[in-house]
Amino acid sequence: MDDPTDAGQTVCVSPATGEEIGRSALNTVADVCGAVERGRTAQAAWAALTVKERAKRLKPLSAWLTAHADELAGTISKDNGKTRTDALAAEVLPAALAADFYCRKANGFLKDRRLMPGTLFMASKAAKIARVPYGVIGIISPWNYPFAIPFSEVVMALLAGNAVILKAASETQLVGRAIERCFSALALPAGLFTHINMPGGAAGPAFLEAGVDKLFFTGSVPVGKRLMALAAETLTPLVLELGGNDPMLVCPDADLQRAVAGAVWGGLQNCGQSCGGVERIYVHRSVYEPFVAALGDAVRRLRIGVDTDHQVDLGAMTTVKQMQAVEQQVAAAVAAGAVVAAQSDPPAGNRGNFMPARVLTGVDHTMAIMREETFGPVLGVMAVEDMAQAVALANDSDLGLTASVWTRDAREGERLARQIRAGVVMINDHLMSHGLPETPWGGFKQSGLGRTHGAVGMAEMTQVQCLVHDYLPGIRRNLWWHPHGPAVYRGLRGIMEMRYGRGVGKRMKGLASLAWIVPRMFTSDIPKGTTSTDRK
């Protein structure tokens, strides 16, 4: 059963064995409101610290993660179903790298930025951009990367001076509790970080009702749209990462060995449950047959099962519901003419959520498996006549999270990448940019709004405040201040004529009109001899 509850608790069940592995107490809307209120109180003092002081408090994170790496990888594996190696490589290790990176870079990302004057006439106005924390950030995280996705967002939000309320996925509550232990080990003010457990459909409305100042959501497109509609009522800003149907383009000069290995990892690790994973592959016809043959061999060799000794490549699907959705897409594609060209063998006689990894050929864009997010261990492969056709097919989707281009020609790879409508495009790699803390993560079209990670992601944790000083000494009033009159009008127009007028005469006339009203800047009273109809 997915997400079972019992007497106010979520019952955590291993996707690989079907056994109960723990329980997590459920929270109410009142609990969320209380957490936001406590977070707001704690945030005021936290934001008063310098960024360097906040980074010092968070600096022990990487060492803590390292000391508990095996425990965390084991918890993620049991709760989500992925292998421990996958959990370590794609979740714990990136989290440790991210914590170190953001603690080192936060001060630079968040420092005030001075703006150069845009025009000589306003050069006395010195402006700068300051980054102001929102207050209380709400984060709703998914079950496919239950540790890595929320972890970086929590770290960035805290470094930026916010309090955080985290709602971890109901399906992976043990991981949510592990994140809670991680941040509890730090010397943070009480109430600054709170983990909440409640059903997914109730969490977003509860966060918005409680008054979070910004909401980060990772999940499906339909849920993201509903949250956006709810947030519109209070104009609560959102960052949405809503999934993808990511293309992989294989050029005729690609290193096929690397491309095949990249497709297997980028498309099938975590049992294909990656919003930024490879789902559809477009291969130049000249290398299509050898590519498909090599891909089939690699997929057939994948070992699927319970991870007891690190001797399996793929673990279990996280939920039965997702297994059923994948099977429906595969069955519909096969009924429409697709062929299962290769598949791996799941373990026999096991009660876990195991399913084969598959390669489909004979697919086209009339099939849902090539148009919609599959979120499972399936790779659809199509031959293309040229790479222009591959780009067109890659863009034939209402999703645009990530993509990849595989070629030995770096310049050609980037040329093609720039034509793909996706938030991240990698050349000769796929998916792993989520583990690069310096790179922004997010998509085009219905893949979401906003970005996480890197300097861009850190900026999402703050509001922009512009500060403007007037440093010119002796000025009593600006040229356009009251009282007004014809001379003031002519002088202001003279600024435009002096700068943009056609011909020397026009510009000199503008200069004279401006010079006539400059003295009024140094007086606070109406100059003597000025009539009411011609005040300077």
Side-chain angles (χ1 to χ4, degrees):
M1 183 190 301
D2 296 335
D3 185 22
T5 58
D6 179 39
Q9 295 180 317
T10 296
V11 180
C12 304
V13 176
S14 166
T17 66
E19 299 172 341
E20 180 179 329
I21 55 177
R23 297 193 173 206
S24 178
L26 284 163
N27 294 106
T28 65
V29 174
D31 293 333
V32 177
C33 293
V36 170
E37 184 178 347
R38 290 189 297 274
R40 206 171 298 287
T41 300
Q43 187 269 337
W46 179 250
L49 300 176
T50 66
V51 177
K52 289 183 178 180
E53 289 171 331
R54 297 196 290 265
K56 185 177 181 180
R57 299 277 191 96
L58 296 175
K59 188 176 180 180
L61 279 171
S62 296
W64 193 94
L65 294 177
T66 301
H68 296 81
D70 294 338
E71 172 193 343
L72 290 169
T75 298
I76 296 166
S77 177
K78 288 179 181 178
D79 213 13
N80 162 276
K82 67 181 65 176
T83 68
R84 284 174 292 165
T85 299
D86 198 350
L88 186 69
E91 302 229 44
V92 183
L93 174 58
L97 296 174
D100 173 63
F101 175 81
Y102 293 125
C103 285
R104 287 187 291 106
K105 297 293 185 179
N107 190 62
F109 289 160
L110 297 170
K111 70 180 181 180
D112 292 352
R113 307 285 181 183
R114 293 197 176 276
L115 303 178
M116 294 297 294
T119 174
L120 177 64
F121 297 108
M122 301 293 179
S124 65
K125 314 296 182 184
K128 58 183 173 182
I129 296 295
R131 291 284 176 180
V132 179
Y134 275 94
V136 179
I137 297 289
I139 297 173
I140 300 177
S141 62
W143 48 258
N144 62 326
Y145 290 89
F147 193 87
I149 287 178
F151 184 87
S152 290
E153 293 174 1
V154 172
V155 170
M156 287 188 288
L158 292 174
L159 284 169
N162 300 286
V164 176
I165 314 297
L166 169 65
K167 188 275 179 194
S170 299
E171 296 84 352
T172 50
Q173 269 299 296
L174 292 190
V175 179
R177 295 301 178 185
I179 295 174
E180 185 177 40
R181 290 194 300 275
C182 173
F183 287 97
S184 295
L186 302 175
L188 300 179
L192 190 69
F193 171 82
T194 303
H195 172 269
I196 290 291
N197 174 26
M198 61 193 318
F207 275 39
L208 293 169
E209 179 182 333
V212 295
D213 297 296
K214 189 167 186 176
L215 182 60
F216 286 71
F217 170 77
T218 303
S220 70
V221 173
V223 175
K225 289 180 177 180
R226 288 198 294 270
L227 286 177
M228 191 171 181
L230 287 174
E233 296 178 7
T234 54
L235 291 181
T236 302
L238 298 173
V239 170
L240 303 173
E241 198 268 86
L242 305 178
N245 180 24
D246 293 1
M248 171 179 177
L249 281 62
V250 182
C251 299
D253 68 335
D255 179 337
L256 293 188
Q257 183 177 2
R258 178 173 176 83
V260 166
V264 171
W265 184 84
L268 303 178
Q269 65 87 221
N270 196 26
C271 294
Q273 299 168 122
S274 301
C275 49
V278 176
E279 293 206 354
R280 46 200 176 106
I281 307 175
Y282 304 103
V283 187
H284 193 278
R285 188 170 297 279
S286 64
V287 293
Y288 174 78
E289 290 187 5
F291 177 88
V292 170
L295 181 62
D297 289 342
V299 168
R300 281 186 285 268
R301 289 196 301 268
L302 289 173
R303 300 162 298 174
I304 303 174
V306 180
D307 182 11
T308 57
D309 55 3
H310 303 292
Q311 295 299 311
V312 295
D313 302 307
L314 301 183
M317 296 283 287
T318 304
T319 72
V320 173
K321 180 180 178 181
Q322 189 55 39
M323 292 178 67
Q324 294 170 343
V326 173
E327 289 292 1
Q328 288 172 1
Q329 277 201 6
V330 171
V334 170
V339 175
V340 179
Q343 71 176 41
S344 54
D345 296 321
N350 193 289
R351 55 187 288 193
N353 299 342
F354 297 105
M355 68 186 309
R358 283 168 281 201
V359 176
L360 297 187
T361 57
V363 292
D364 59 44
H365 277 225
T366 66
M367 302 174 184
I369 206 157
M370 296 299 281
R371 292 184 289 101
E372 302 172 7
E373 186 173 43
T374 301
F375 220 63
V378 182
L379 296 171
V381 190
M382 285 181 63
V384 295
E385 300 302 323
D386 53 42
M387 299 318 294
Q389 183 188 12
V391 169
L393 290 169
N395 288 333
D396 183 26
S397 172
D398 58 5
L399 298 171
L401 184 56
T402 83
S404 60
V405 178
W406 300 74
T407 175
R408 287 185 171 90
D409 186 335
R411 181 174 295 181
E412 173 66 4
E414 183 161 332
R415 186 188 72 82
L416 292 171
R418 287 177 178 271
Q419 298 177 50
I420 299 173
R421 301 289 295 167
V424 179
V425 185
M426 302 192 70
I427 299 167
N428 295 324
D429 212 332
H430 200 108
L431 179 61
M432 62 79 55
S433 74
H434 190 273
L436 300 175
E438 72 275 15
T439 59
W441 180 263
F444 291 2
K445 298 181 278 190
Q446 293 193 40
S447 282
L449 299 170
R451 295 293 185 271
T452 59
H453 296 194
V456 176
M458 185 74 80
E460 293 276 12
M461 300 295 177
T462 62
Q463 300 186 79
V464 172
Q465 184 179 55
C466 182
L467 304 171
V468 183
H469 292 265
D470 191 309
Y471 286 114
L472 194 60
I475 299 298
R476 308 302 296 275
R477 55 181 170 176
N478 291 331
L479 289 173
W480 50 90
W481 286 6
H482 300 117
H484 291 168
V488 173
Y489 183 89
R490 289 194 299 269
L492 294 175
R493 190 180 61 189
I495 296 174
M496 300 174 65
E497 291 172 338
M498 186 182 72
R499 180 66 180 86
Y500 307 112
R502 295 183 178 179
V504 175
K506 193 71 171 179
R507 295 191 177 193
M508 292 302 295
K509 181 181 178 182
L511 176 60
S513 297
L514 172 61
W516 181 254
I517 65 170
V518 165
R520 79 192 302 268
M521 297 174 64
F522 301 92
T523 66
S524 56
D525 299 319
I526 301 173
K528 293 180 180 180
T530 302
T531 68
S532 60
T533 59
D534 192 19
R535 291 172 175 173
K536 295 182 181 178

